[in-house]
Amino acid sequence: QVQLVESGGGQVEVGGSLRLSCVASGSNFIINVMGWYRQAPGKQRELVATITSGGNTNYARSVKGRFTISRDNAENTVYLQMNSLKPEDTSVYYCNTGATVNGYGMYYWGKGTLVTVSS
């Protein structure tokens, strides 16, 4: 099993910045891809950004140029630096990882952290 714990959410004004963190813990696992998704009220969960163990990144078009995903492989931690925040970025942000656990590929989700951007 892998547990994901997010932190860093909160309320910020339009144009402000926040940094989200997500730490993976457990036993007998290897983290492969890590990513951030978000879900606004009444909407489907959507991809924000992903990063592979080799550092290859992928961003949703809506956040490209404003958000930066990074990771610390030694600490099994992924970060999301969010700049120039807009009201439409208001969502619950979820950490996700694809991991190999005891030889099996598995996906895990964190419980989410709320980001509110106010005008």
Side-chain angles (χ1 to χ4, degrees), residues 7-82:
S7 61
Q11 185 167 351
V12 64
E13 293 186 349
V14 170
S17 298
L18 281 175
R19 189 191 195 207
L20 305 183
S21 300
C22 172
V23 180
S25 63
S27 59
N28 298 320
F29 70 96
I30 299 172
I31 296 294
N32 301 315
V33 64
M34 301 189 82
W36 291 94
Y37 291 71
R38 66 186 182 186
Q39 187 168 18
K43 294 189 176 181
Q44 289 188 330
R45 192 171 296 188
E46 63 177 4
L47 168 74
V48 177
T50 60
I51 184 168
T52 67
S53 56
N56 293 318
T57 58
N58 179 52
Y59 294 93
R61 188 174 298 179
S62 59
V63 307
K64 210 166 188 177
R66 300 187 298 122
F67 292 9
T68 302
I69 190 170
S70 61
R71 64 188 283 175
D72 182 334
N73 290 332
E75 299 293 331
N76 289 321
T77 301
V78 64
Y79 305 97
L80 186 68
Q81 178 66 44
M82 304 185 294

Side-chain angles (χ1 to χ4, degrees), residues 2 9-10 47 74 76 106 109 119:
V2 175
L47 168 74
N76 289 321
M106 307 287 286
W109 291 93
S119 55

